[in-house]
Amino acid sequence: MSIQAPHNTLLIPGPIEFDDAVLQSMSHYAESHVAPGFVKVFGETITLTRKLFQSTNPAAQPFIISGSGTLGWDLVSANLVERGENALVLNTGYFGDSFGACLETYGANVDHLRAPIGDRPAFDEVEKALQSKPYKVITITHVDTSTGVLNDIKRVAEITRRVSPNTLVVVDGVCSVGSEEIDFDKWDLDAVVTASQKAIGCPPGLSIVMVSGRALEVAKSRKTPAASYYASIEKWLPIMQNYENHKPSYFATPPTQLVHALHTTLSQITARPMSERFAMHTQASDKVKAAVAELGLKQLAPNREAQAHGMTAMYLPEGLTPPDVLPGLLKRGVIFAAGLHKEIATKYIRFGHMGVSISQADRKDIDNALTALKEALAEAKQAKGL
Ligand SMILES: *Cc1c(COP(=O)(O)O)cnc(C)c1O
């Protein structure tokens, strides 16, 4: 029996359902953020974050900062790019637009390489774009939560190293870390930005960013100071290093209870090989996508290799919009998300299948959701006379 009050199952692409133990960690008594007990927990949490990214390179550094995933864009934009430098955004939807806007806020010249909705930029286009001018950073949305498109960050990183070796490879992994394979060191990535509340299964409120030694050098050797006080790598780096060495340190107060929750979920996630976790998400995703196809629904991302494994974005039948279907799902105890990509938002819905909803089979979240989807669609079609 769960300790949680009965509730509808949250199956949106983040926040996701919580494990009881993760939630219980949040009810920790008050403690000082610089007392030995918390310092140890925070230090271990930073070390566990390395495991999450399968990283053993001591030159790389995880940052865990109070804020949402969006703060990671500020950390990248304020520290790794200087005013007037070029940034290439591989744009697969809503989150590419926003990351680009954040980079522009700090003075970067942003070029978007856009793919048609549901697809990703082709590798030869990426190569051509990288050859066209010197780019300080290339950003890639690993899973675009608005479209369910999966980018091949390994290939993009390889291409970038070959064509433009000094360009920093930055991944928006807010919707992918914990559900899609990421091998930070081997793939030679420079920054992966994520957040606590998606496939990591922790309540929202933590920005988590993994930064390579190369990117830290770039941040250290800036010609101009970072144009952010809070989102400053220079400010946070010694704090993270001290905590990881179990030494108290202060720049701004960490959310102690949330750090406990993150410690619990990361301990659970990294207790098994990460490859098992990725395989589990792939298996659940295959099942969902097969069921969706059986219902006659098309995914936004038609190509299998470009389909995310932690979520599915599906077009509704002609004549139906999200308000026709989502209430029927809710009535059956299931919460999906409406469309987000502004050009087609009224035509599709999104189903998040990550974390405990797929790893704890006895919850039956996925089976219940697929049954609810089938019934809600039939009901909506009937109501519309379709
Ligand atoms: C959710 C999400 C964000 C933004 O994260 P917040 O925690 O809402 O600030 C950024 N990028 C992607 C790909 C996301 O899915």
Side-chain angles (χ1 to χ4, degrees), residues 13-14 67-71 73 95 141-146 172-176 193 195-198 204-206:
S68 78
T70 300
L71 178 62
W73 295 341
F95 290 99
T141 316
H142 196 186
V143 169
D144 196 294
T145 322
S146 72
D172 177 348
V174 179
C175 195
S176 70
V193 169
S196 48
Q197 79 275 17
K198 295 191 184 170
L206 288 170

Side-chain angles (χ1 to χ4, degrees), residues 174-231:
V174 179
C175 195
S176 70
V177 172
S179 64
E180 303 289 350
E181 184 182 8
I182 297 181
D183 206 328
F184 189 85
D185 299 347
K186 262 201 216 122
W187 296 1
D188 204 10
L189 308 174
D190 288 303
V192 181
V193 169
T194 191
S196 48
Q197 79 275 17
K198 295 191 184 170
I200 294 171
C202 181
L206 288 170
S207 161
I208 302 164
V209 186
M210 185 70 174
V211 182
S212 73
R214 185 195 293 119
L216 290 176
E217 281 309 313
V218 166
K220 267 184 215 160
S221 54
R222 288 178 63 86
K223 295 191 280 293
T224 54
S228 171
Y229 184 73
Y230 185 71

Side-chain angles (χ1 to χ4, degrees), residues 104-119:
E104 280 170 352
T105 302
Y106 292 90
N109 296 325
V110 177
D111 294 327
H112 289 268
L113 183 57
R114 290 175 200 275
I117 293 173
D119 207 351

Side-chain angles (χ1 to χ4, degrees), residues 260-281:
H260 278 282
L262 183 63
H263 184 276
T264 302
T265 194
L266 290 183
S267 300
Q268 291 174 347
I269 290 173
T270 59
R272 313 279 318 155
M274 289 305 292
S275 56
E276 255 179 44
R277 185 171 176 89
F278 304 140
M280 201 162 64
H281 279 83

